[in-house]
Amino acid sequence: DAEITQSPRHKITETGRQVTLACHQTWNHNNMFWYRQDLGHGLRLIHYSYGVHDTNKGEVSDGYSVSRSNTEDLPLTLESAASSQTSVYFCASSETERDVTDTQYFGPGTRLTVL
Amino acid sequence: KQEVTQIPAALSVPEGENLVLNCSFTDSAIYNLQWFRQDPGKGLTSLLLIQSSQREQTSGRLNASLDKSSGRSTLYIAASQPGDSATYLCAVMNRGSTLGRLYFGRGTQLTVWP
């Protein structure tokens, strides 16, 4: 069965370190998204991609970067981790950008703690 | 900018009750609206998706309605069960430049007790 996976599921790191969170989907979806979820804010969009070599900034992109070298993967990199980036991170994918019946499929999340 | 609000933030009911969760959004130019379920420590599972041209969708004991002109949606859960306990999130997909991205509400945390 097709799925979307994230790794690691839990990560503890120190301020200033570079961290990469992996996202892998086997749906062959063009669209991929990274969200963070925080108490009091809900889910907020960090970066998104509509296809290979395409990346775009979301509403909370500062301090994060992504690259899309193939259809299946969209890794999220924290260039220099900050305590404000302690959060739960969700990756999602969807099939086409112009299909109004499009459903987003979410990964299980990565809980990141920056000390 | 699209803003999505969910009321109430938390709800605790005895098993068997019918209940309504509310969602409102500020920009009516949407492609669709989705309701998700999130269990503690888990990802999001899509429950129902309503296209902008539709008024409602049903799945089992769940019924979601959409009034696009007033910017409102409701999720109706019939005969609630303890297994329905979870956080329910409403999300809209806008027409416009950022196709595919979702705007989320903060969720309603539901507890159904036996």
Side-chain angles (χ1 to χ4, degrees):
Chain A
D1 288 345
E3 61 178 353
I4 180 166
T5 57
Q6 294 183 235
S7 62
R9 293 295 313 280
H10 302 272
K11 174 77 175 177
I12 300 174
T13 191
E14 296 177 342
T15 301
R17 289 191 180 267
Q18 184 180 80
V19 177
T20 297
L21 308 183
C23 175
H24 179 80
Q25 53 99 0
T26 59
W27 296 95
N28 200 35
H29 286 162
N30 289 325
N31 304 339
M32 295 184 73
F33 306 86
W34 274 104
Y35 296 89
R36 61 177 288 176
Q37 186 177 33
D38 305 287
L39 283 176
H41 285 97
L43 279 90
R44 293 179 290 174
L45 184 66
I46 306 171
H47 281 286
Y48 58 101
S49 168
Y50 288 145
V52 177
H53 302 311
D54 176 75
T55 61
N56 305 278
K57 293 181 178 181
E59 60 185 305
V60 289
S61 61
D62 287 349
Y64 303 94
S65 64
V66 293
S67 62
R68 187 91 179 268
S69 59
N70 58 53
T71 300
E72 297 80 18
D73 299 289
L74 186 70
L76 177 71
T77 297
L78 286 67
E79 304 294 344
S80 177
S83 58
S84 60
Q85 295 176 309
T86 293
S87 186
V88 180
Y89 292 85
F90 288 101
C91 180
S93 70
S94 63
E95 187 167 343
T96 68
E97 64 183 82
R98 298 191 185 278
D99 182 352
V100 296
T101 63
D102 203 7
T103 296
Q104 282 196 14
Y105 297 88
F106 281 77
T110 294
R111 183 174 296 275
L112 177 67
T113 302
V114 183
L115 302 177
Chain B
K1 179 190 171 187
Q2 179 72 269
E3 294 190 4
V4 181
T5 303
Q6 292 187 244
I7 295 173
L11 186 61
S12 180
V13 300
E15 182 176 9
E17 280 206 1
N18 302 322
L19 47 97
V20 174
L21 309 182
N22 297 293
C23 172
S24 62
F25 47 94
T26 55
D27 184 350
S28 61
I30 64 172
Y31 267 128
N32 60 46
L33 181 145
Q34 282 186 260
W35 284 92
F36 290 88
R37 170 183 172 137
Q38 185 177 26
D39 293 288
K42 301 291 180 62
L44 282 68
T45 301
S46 180
L47 297 173
L48 291 165
L49 182 149
I50 311 176
Q51 298 179 37
S52 61
S53 59
Q54 297 177 324
R55 298 282 295 180
E56 65 178 332
Q57 282 285 342
T58 298
S59 176
R61 295 183 293 107
L62 304 179
N63 176 276
S65 66
L66 174 64
D67 184 343
K68 194 175 64 170
S69 61
S70 67
R72 295 179 188 275
S73 176
T74 61
L75 178 67
Y76 177 82
I77 302 177
S80 58
Q81 303 171 358
D84 295 328
S85 298
T87 297
Y88 291 81
L89 296 163
C90 169
V92 299
M93 184 183 295
N94 270 19
R95 296 181 182 277
S97 59
T98 314
L99 294 173
R101 72 148 295 178
L102 296 176
Y103 293 85
F104 283 88
R106 296 180 184 180
T108 294
Q109 186 174 2
L110 173 65
T111 302
V112 182
W113 41 277

